[in-house]
Amino acid sequence: MIQYNKIIFTGPVGAGKTTAITALSDVPPVKTDQLATDMTKSRKASTTVALDYGMMTLPGGDKIHLYGTPGQERFDFMWDILTTGGIGLVLLLDNTRADPFQDLRFFLNKFGGFIETTSLVIGVTQMDLSATPGLSDYHRQLETTGLNPPIFEVDARRRKDVSLLVQALLYSIDPGLEEQ
Protein backbone atom coordinates (compact mmCIF):
# COMPACT_ATOMS: atom_id res chain seq x y z
CA MET A 1 0.00 0.00 0.00
CA ILE A 2 1.44 3.36 -1.04
CA GLN A 3 1.66 5.96 1.72
CA TYR A 4 1.62 9.73 1.47
CA ASN A 5 3.58 11.54 4.17
CA LYS A 6 4.13 15.22 4.88
CA ILE A 7 7.37 16.82 6.04
CA ILE A 8 7.63 20.48 7.02
CA PHE A 9 10.66 22.67 6.33
CA THR A 10 10.99 25.77 8.50
CA GLY A 11 13.56 28.31 9.57
CA PRO A 12 14.37 31.99 9.27
CA VAL A 13 14.30 34.01 6.07
CA GLY A 14 17.15 33.04 3.79
CA ALA A 15 17.96 29.72 5.47
CA GLY A 16 17.27 27.79 2.25
CA LYS A 17 13.79 26.32 2.64
CA THR A 18 12.63 27.10 -0.91
CA THR A 19 16.00 26.06 -2.32
CA ALA A 20 15.99 22.76 -0.40
CA ILE A 21 12.50 21.82 -1.56
CA THR A 22 13.42 22.75 -5.14
CA ALA A 23 16.54 20.56 -4.94
CA LEU A 24 14.63 17.57 -3.58
CA SER A 25 11.31 17.69 -5.41
CA ASP A 26 10.58 15.20 -8.18
CA VAL A 27 7.89 17.54 -9.53
CA PRO A 28 8.15 21.23 -10.39
CA PRO A 29 7.81 22.96 -6.99
CA VAL A 30 5.02 25.36 -6.14
CA LYS A 31 6.39 28.63 -4.75
CA THR A 32 4.57 31.64 -3.34
CA ASP A 33 7.47 34.08 -3.43
CA GLN A 34 6.71 37.77 -3.57
CA LEU A 35 8.93 40.82 -3.71
CA ALA A 36 10.33 41.58 -0.27
CA THR A 37 9.12 44.97 0.94
CA ASP A 38 10.46 45.03 4.49
CA MET A 39 13.83 44.39 6.14
CA THR A 40 13.96 41.05 4.32
CA LYS A 41 14.93 42.84 1.11
CA SER A 42 18.38 43.48 2.60
CA ARG A 43 18.93 39.69 2.60
CA LYS A 44 17.11 38.70 -0.61
CA ALA A 45 14.83 40.14 -3.28
CA SER A 46 11.83 37.87 -2.72
CA THR A 47 10.36 35.92 0.17
CA THR A 48 7.86 33.11 0.68
CA VAL A 49 4.50 34.46 1.81
CA ALA A 50 2.40 31.31 2.07
CA LEU A 51 4.23 28.07 1.38
CA ASP A 52 6.54 26.10 -0.84
CA TYR A 53 5.50 22.66 -2.00
CA GLY A 54 7.30 19.77 -3.60
CA MET A 55 7.02 16.02 -3.65
CA MET A 56 9.47 13.18 -3.74
CA THR A 57 8.79 9.54 -4.48
CA LEU A 58 10.65 6.91 -2.52
CA PRO A 59 11.65 3.55 -3.95
CA GLY A 60 8.54 1.41 -3.62
CA GLY A 61 6.21 4.28 -4.51
CA ASP A 62 5.67 5.99 -1.16
CA LYS A 63 5.35 9.74 -1.59
CA ILE A 64 6.69 12.44 0.68
CA HIS A 65 5.04 15.83 0.40
CA LEU A 66 7.44 18.64 1.24
CA TYR A 67 6.00 21.87 2.64
CA GLY A 68 8.08 24.95 3.34
CA THR A 69 6.84 27.60 5.74
CA PRO A 70 7.36 31.32 5.35
CA GLY A 71 10.34 32.43 7.44
CA GLN A 72 8.86 35.71 8.61
CA GLU A 73 6.94 35.66 11.87
CA ARG A 74 4.22 37.87 10.41
CA PHE A 75 3.17 34.86 8.31
CA ASP A 76 3.15 32.50 11.30
CA PHE A 77 -0.55 31.76 10.86
CA MET A 78 0.61 29.49 8.02
CA TRP A 79 2.82 27.48 10.37
CA ASP A 80 -0.11 25.82 12.15
CA ILE A 81 -1.90 25.21 8.88
CA LEU A 82 1.14 23.60 7.27
CA THR A 83 2.11 21.40 10.23
CA THR A 84 -1.34 19.78 10.43
CA GLY A 85 -0.88 16.15 9.46
CA GLY A 86 2.90 16.43 9.29
CA ILE A 87 5.17 13.59 10.39
CA GLY A 88 8.30 15.63 11.07
CA LEU A 89 10.14 18.94 10.92
CA VAL A 90 13.29 19.95 9.08
CA LEU A 91 14.66 23.10 10.73
CA LEU A 92 17.11 24.98 8.52
CA LEU A 93 19.35 27.57 10.17
CA ASP A 94 21.52 30.11 8.34
CA ASN A 95 24.97 30.20 9.95
CA THR A 96 25.65 33.70 8.57
CA ARG A 97 22.82 35.33 10.55
CA ALA A 98 23.74 37.56 13.48
CA ASP A 99 22.58 35.05 16.12
CA PRO A 100 21.71 31.61 14.73
CA PHE A 101 21.23 30.31 18.29
CA GLN A 102 18.46 32.85 18.80
CA ASP A 103 16.87 31.52 15.60
CA LEU A 104 17.28 27.98 16.93
CA ARG A 105 15.55 28.81 20.21
CA PHE A 106 12.82 30.80 18.47
CA PHE A 107 11.84 28.02 16.05
CA LEU A 108 12.13 25.27 18.68
CA ASN A 109 9.75 27.31 20.84
CA LYS A 110 7.29 28.14 18.06
CA PHE A 111 7.17 24.54 16.79
CA GLY A 112 7.55 22.91 20.23
CA GLY A 113 4.14 21.27 20.26
CA PHE A 114 4.65 19.83 16.79
CA ILE A 115 8.15 18.59 17.65
CA GLU A 116 6.83 16.86 20.80
CA THR A 117 4.49 14.69 18.74
CA THR A 118 6.72 14.12 15.68
CA SER A 119 10.44 14.21 14.92
CA LEU A 120 13.04 16.88 14.23
CA VAL A 121 16.22 17.17 12.20
CA ILE A 122 18.36 20.30 11.88
CA GLY A 123 20.32 21.45 8.86
CA VAL A 124 22.79 24.32 9.16
CA THR A 125 23.32 26.19 5.90
CA GLN A 126 25.94 28.73 4.82
CA MET A 127 28.69 27.10 6.88
CA ASP A 128 30.97 27.54 3.88
CA LEU A 129 30.57 31.32 4.38
CA SER A 130 30.72 31.27 8.17
CA ALA A 131 32.32 28.27 9.87
CA THR A 132 31.38 29.47 13.35
CA PRO A 133 29.43 28.51 15.25
CA GLY A 134 30.23 24.87 14.52
CA LEU A 135 27.98 21.86 14.80
CA SER A 136 29.38 21.07 18.26
CA ASP A 137 28.23 24.53 19.37
CA TYR A 138 24.71 23.72 18.16
CA HIS A 139 24.81 20.44 20.10
CA ARG A 140 25.77 22.35 23.26
CA GLN A 141 22.88 24.78 22.72
CA LEU A 142 20.48 21.86 22.30
CA GLU A 143 21.62 20.24 25.56
CA THR A 144 19.71 22.96 27.44
CA THR A 145 16.48 22.04 25.63
CA GLY A 146 16.49 18.31 26.33
CA LEU A 147 16.34 17.66 22.59
CA ASN A 148 18.95 15.65 20.72
CA PRO A 149 17.98 15.76 17.03
CA PRO A 150 20.40 14.88 14.23
CA ILE A 151 22.26 18.01 13.03
CA PHE A 152 23.99 18.31 9.66
CA GLU A 153 25.91 20.89 7.70
CA VAL A 154 23.99 21.20 4.43
CA ASP A 155 24.09 23.03 1.15
CA ALA A 156 20.39 23.52 0.40
CA ARG A 157 21.17 23.54 -3.34
CA ARG A 158 22.48 19.98 -3.24
CA ARG A 159 19.89 17.23 -3.51
CA LYS A 160 22.24 14.80 -1.75
CA ASP A 161 22.54 17.07 1.30
CA VAL A 162 18.80 17.70 1.59
CA SER A 163 18.05 14.03 0.98
CA LEU A 164 20.31 13.17 3.93
CA LEU A 165 18.19 15.44 6.15
CA VAL A 166 14.98 13.74 5.06
CA GLN A 167 16.49 10.27 5.48
CA ALA A 168 17.67 11.13 9.00
CA LEU A 169 14.20 12.41 9.82
CA LEU A 170 12.54 9.26 8.47
CA TYR A 171 14.98 7.02 10.39
CA SER A 172 14.27 8.95 13.60
CA ILE A 173 10.56 8.29 13.04
CA ASP A 174 11.08 4.61 12.18
CA PRO A 175 14.54 3.26 13.00
CA GLY A 176 13.58 -0.02 11.31
CA LEU A 177 13.51 1.53 7.85
CA GLU A 178 15.73 -0.21 5.34
CA GLU A 179 18.37 1.92 3.70
CA GLN A 180 17.30 2.70 0.15
Side-chain angles (χ1 to χ4, degrees), residues 6-146:
K6 179 179 178 182
I7 293 176
I8 312 307
F9 285 70
T10 197
V13 169
K17 300 173 297 291
T18 301
T19 302
I21 289 173
T22 300
L24 201 54
S25 184
D26 295 329
V27 298
V30 174
K31 303 174 189 178
T32 61
D33 286 1
Q34 293 294 313
L35 260 166
T37 59
D38 58 6
M39 64 189 173
T40 301
K41 66 183 171 186
S42 66
R43 292 194 64 82
K44 59 185 210 165
S46 63
T47 189
T48 301
V49 296
L51 62 97
D52 295 312
Y53 170 79
M55 184 182 61
M56 62 184 291
T57 304
L58 300 176
D62 288 348
K63 307 224 182 273
I64 304 230
H65 298 271
L66 312 166
Y67 287 87
T69 70
Q72 295 181 57
E73 189 173 7
R74 67 184 171 134
F75 299 120
D76 67 352
F77 63 91
M78 288 299 299
W79 299 351
D80 287 335
I81 294 168
L82 293 174
T83 56
T84 300
I87 62 169
L89 186 72
V90 174
L91 172 55
L92 294 179
L93 298 166
D94 178 351
N95 218 40
T96 65
R97 286 179 52 100
D99 188 350
F101 295 147
Q102 180 180 343
D103 294 334
L104 173 67
R105 289 185 299 273
F106 174 81
F107 283 94
L108 291 178
N109 180 52
K110 289 294 186 176
F111 287 86
F114 182 66
I115 293 167
E116 285 178 13
T117 61
T118 62
S119 287
L120 169 69
V121 66
I122 298 173
V124 182
T125 64
Q126 308 291 343
M127 289 190 82
D128 56 328
L129 300 177
S130 178
T132 56
L135 293 182
S136 60
D137 299 313
Y138 283 94
H139 282 287
R140 277 192 290 283
Q141 287 290 316
L142 283 164
E143 284 176 5
T144 65
T145 68

